[in-house]
């Protein structure tokens, strides 16, 4: 039987098109997700939980925010399974439609004043759809890029979908900052908050047009052809990817989850909880806090590919470690600077924090992709990334808000972030360096027979 077709390297132009498709779609999905987080901090407590104390209302608002994270592992399982069976591209189209549709509908939701307790219930249901879609988005977007091109610059190219997070944050915060600057508080609370949610409909159409124009990953195509040959020889179906992940890659899943703790918790403390801390504790206007996050997100966007390129030269683990340790050291000065009630100090606090976050986030796409074999890569990378979000990003604003309400101090919140950094450092110590791995061979191998009676050879 002929050998499996080799994955063909992409030309610079085609690779850039793949990167653009992943980046634009990921930006739109993160825009939708972060928009909800910002609105939860600024207006949802008043519009959907109006009978509560301000901080209690914020806690309830962030609880609906956390529900989206609870749905992400389910999305990771479902999208991962079908992404490993059907391909990366198809599932990315579905995730974009689901996320954009849910966000658009949030912009049309009646508030508590109109329909009572049904309003927060509907809000929670749409948040679940957002989380489910995002749980499947990340793995497919980074794999579509990581599985194109060669290993020498994989960290750089795969880091571009990661810039979708700060780009989405930048877009969401920018729209909100513009509206809060041009509208009165009454107008913003009445109808202005709906505008950025409704804009998602137009953004989704742009994202779909670009995503439908790209090709499937050549590495996946080669692995799918090899799987079909195995099926023809053995007359047996492949095991579900999740079973293969749990059997062969359980250690890698735990490492991925551990490395995400500091990255995920610190990000939501720095970008979502900061809106609560600055306005409720540091007595700073929401406009000042939004503008600081806006400027810092722009720097974050620009520097993520730089960290990704550095990971190609020195390795994924060293760059990740720089970010984790840096965040652990910076978190105390971060809150000290915010407490100064100075716009330059707040910009410095958030920008430096996001620089260290970028050092963790940039190599993550290549790092997780290189841990898993092709026919279980979508499942493995998604499960490792999204299951950790339930313990990390989901409760982070809730825990930080509760600590602030209990102690009226940033010190317990800083200790919380430092504990997450410790878990990440331990996970990195248990991880192998992956930057030189060939994605067509990475991870566990399955038997591919050369003929019905021959000995199998190993293939990804």
């Amino acid at each position: 039987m002929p050998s499996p077709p080799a994955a063909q390297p992409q030309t610079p132009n085609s690779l850039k098109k793949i990167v653009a498709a992943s980046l634009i779609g990921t930006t739109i999905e993160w825009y939708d997700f972060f928009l909800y987080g910002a609105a939860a901090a600024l207006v949802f407590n008043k519009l959907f939980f109006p009978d509560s104390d301000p901080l209690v209302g914020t806690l309830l608002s962030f609880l609906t925010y956390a529900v989206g994270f609870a749905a992400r592992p389910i999305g990771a399982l479902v999208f991962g399974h079908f992404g490993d069976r059907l391909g990366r591209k198809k599932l990315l189209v579905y995730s974009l439609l689901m996320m954009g549709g849910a966000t658009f509908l949030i912009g049309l939701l009646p508030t508590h004043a109109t329909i009572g307790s049904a309003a927060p219930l509907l809000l929670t249901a749409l948040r679940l759809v957002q989380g489910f879609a995002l749980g499947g988005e990340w793995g497919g977007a980074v794999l579509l890029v990581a599985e194109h091109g060669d290993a020498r610059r994989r960290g750089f190219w795969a880091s571009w979908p990661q810039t979708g997070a700060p780009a989405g944050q930048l877009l969401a915060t920018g729209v909100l900052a513009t509206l809060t600057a041009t509208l009165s508080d009454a107008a913003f609370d009445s109808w202005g908050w709906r505008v950025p949610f409704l804009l998602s409909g137009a953004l989704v159409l742009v994202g779909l047009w670009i995503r439908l124009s790209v090709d499937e990953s050549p590495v996946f195509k080669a692995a799918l052809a090899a799987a079909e040959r195995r099926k023809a020889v053995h007359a047996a179906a492949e095991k579900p990817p999740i079973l293969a992940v749990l059997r062969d890659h359980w250690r890698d899943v735990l490492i991925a989850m551990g490395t995400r703790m500091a990255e995920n918790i610190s990000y939501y403390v720095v970008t979502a909880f900061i809106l609560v801390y600055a306005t409720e504790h540091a007595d700073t206007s929401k406009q000042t806090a939004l503008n600081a996050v806006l400027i810092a997100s722009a720097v974050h966007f620009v520097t993520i590919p730089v960290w990704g390129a550095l990971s190609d030269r020195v390795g994924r683990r060293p760059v990740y470690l720089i970010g984790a340790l840096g965040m652990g050291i910076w978190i105390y000065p971060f809150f000290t600077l915010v407490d100064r009630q100075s716009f330059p100090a707040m910009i410095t606090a958030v920008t430096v924090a996001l620089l260290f976050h970028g050092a963790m986030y940039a190599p993550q796409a290549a790092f997780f992709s290189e841990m898993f074999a092709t026919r279980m890569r979508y499942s493995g990378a998604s499960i490792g990334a999204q299951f950790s979000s339930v313990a990390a990003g989901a409760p982070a604003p809730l825990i930080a808000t509760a600590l602030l309400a209990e102690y009226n101090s940033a010190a317990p919140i800083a200790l919380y972030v430092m504990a997450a950094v410790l878990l990440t450092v331990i996970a990195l110590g248990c991880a192998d360096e992956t930057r030189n791995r060939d994605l067509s061979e990475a991870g566990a191998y399955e038997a591919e027979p050369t003929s019905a009676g021959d000995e199998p050879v190993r293939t990804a």
Side-chain angles (χ1 to χ4, degrees), residues 159-160 162-163 166 299-309 357-358 361-362:
S159 70
W160 278 101
Q162 300 291 77
T163 65
V299 177
H300 196 209
F301 176 87
V302 171
T303 54
I304 282 178
V306 177
W307 288 117
H357 175 268
Y361 199 54

Side-chain angles (χ1 to χ4, degrees), residues 59 269 273 277 335 395-405 409 413 416:
L59 278 170
V269 168
F273 171 70
Y277 185 83
F335 285 110
L398 279 168
I399 291 173
T401 303
L403 289 172
L404 180 63
S409 168
I413 304 167
Y416 167 52

